[in-house]
Structure formats: structure tokens, C-alpha cells
Amino acid sequence: MSDSSPARPTAPVLEVWCELQCPDCRTALDDLRALRARYGDRLEVRLRHFPLEKHKHSFAAAQAAEEALEQGRGWPYVEAVLGRVEELDRRGEPFLVEVARELGLDAEEFDTALIDGRHTLIVDADQAEGKAIGVTGTPTYVIGGERLDGGKSQEGLRERIEEIADRLLAGGEG
């Protein structure tokens, strides 16, 4: 890096450990929308996958979200699937492909991705990292080195995330 250009501070990262068949994650969408509206690109909201065994379509949904991300529509896809958790419960993979089609994504590529498992390693790696840092349920947030568990209660979590984000943006240490 040259001395002539000032270093642009990197945006703080809010990692959201999420599971697309989880009603609590659907509830968390309002907080995520509010955070994205408040901070825009000053806060990087990063989706991390933590599919739970009790939800039989959650692993496929995580892979589908990765395919949506690859096709440039990650968050719209995540929001569309979470908004219809009960339908995912009932219909499984065909529903995931249908949502892709509704959003104008390449649905055939989604179908192929779910069959060939091209995103499995990303989902496995997220899940392993989540377990390693103590994630036990979804949603769980990590920002500034602090883990906030939204699976038990989401009460006050957005305020806590904003507090940490504001401190990080002001240059304060975590």
C-alpha cells in the first residue's frame, strides 16, 4: 500500500449463523433488514450456515443459498425461503428450485447443484467452524469477537449488535 492513498477502513463483519428451515431465523429477518438499512455497506452482513439435524431440508437449503449467492442473489433468496419455512418443511428440494425460478435465477443450475453437491464443502466448513466457536442453535450472531445467541431470545440483540458495530466503526476495540 502506498503512502499517498489513505487506508480505507474495512467494514466490521456481522456473521449470521443461520438455518433456512428455522422459524427463529425468519423472525431475525426484521433485525437483519433494519441493520442493513441503518449501516448499508459500512457493515458487512455475512451468511454462515448451521443446518440442524432436526430439519431434514436444511442442508439442501444451505447449498441452495450458496448457489443463489454464486448467481448474485444470495440475500433475496435467503429471505424468500425463510419467509416460507412451512413450505420448505412440506416440499423440500423442489421448493428450493421453485424459489430460484421465481427470483429469475437459473433453476436448472440449482437443481444440478443440489444433485452434484458442489456447495457441500462450504456448508460443512461453516458448520464445523460454528461448532468450534460454540454455536449451538440458530440464529447466532458474531461481531467484534462477541457471540450473541438469538436461538433462545432475540430480545435486545439488534441493539447489542448496533452498539458493537458503532464502537467498531468509531475505531474502538472490541
Side-chain angles (χ1 to χ4, degrees):
M1 182 149 82
S2 73
D3 293 329
S4 60
S5 65
R8 187 176 180 278
T10 55
V13 175
L14 170 64
E15 292 184 314
V16 183
W17 299 85
C18 184
E19 199 247 70
L20 298 190
Q21 205 174 341
C22 169
D24 289 333
C25 289
R26 174 174 53 198
T27 307
L29 277 179
D30 288 339
D31 283 343
L32 291 175
R33 284 188 195 107
L35 289 164
R36 288 208 308 263
R38 175 174 174 170
Y39 293 102
D41 61 4
R42 295 182 309 132
L43 177 68
E44 182 187 339
V45 180
R46 192 179 294 163
L47 177 68
R48 302 298 301 271
H49 303 289
F50 202 75
L52 302 169
E53 284 183 21
K54 67 180 179 180
H55 294 138
K56 65 179 178 182
H57 304 300
S58 62
F59 197 85
Q63 293 179 73
E66 281 300 314
E67 181 59 33
L69 202 61
E70 208 164 89
Q71 293 190 31
R73 302 286 311 275
W75 279 110
Y77 185 83
V78 165
E79 290 193 17
V81 172
L82 277 174
R84 293 156 65 188
V85 166
E86 295 81 5
E87 217 170 326
L88 176 57
D89 282 344
R90 272 197 323 276
R91 299 183 46 219
E93 291 186 22
F95 169 73
L96 295 169
V97 174
E98 182 183 304
V99 171
R101 188 173 291 113
E102 288 169 7
L103 290 174
L105 297 168
D106 184 339
E108 282 65 39
E109 200 58 36
F110 265 77
D111 203 29
T112 304
L114 289 170
I115 292 166
D116 71 19
R118 68 183 72 157
H119 302 296
T120 302
L121 288 177
I122 293 171
V123 177
D124 283 345
D126 273 6
Q127 195 168 33
E129 186 181 332
K131 285 179 181 167
I133 65 166
V135 174
T136 56
T138 56
T140 295
Y141 307 93
V142 177
I143 183 171
E146 189 168 334
R147 189 180 76 237
L148 306 164
D149 183 356
K152 293 175 179 63
S153 167
Q154 295 180 51
E155 192 65 41
L157 278 186
R158 185 167 88 210
E159 293 76 10
R160 183 72 188 119
I161 291 167
E162 289 172 348
E163 199 178 286
I164 296 168
D166 289 343
R167 187 177 67 229
L168 292 171
L169 286 166
E173 288 305 308

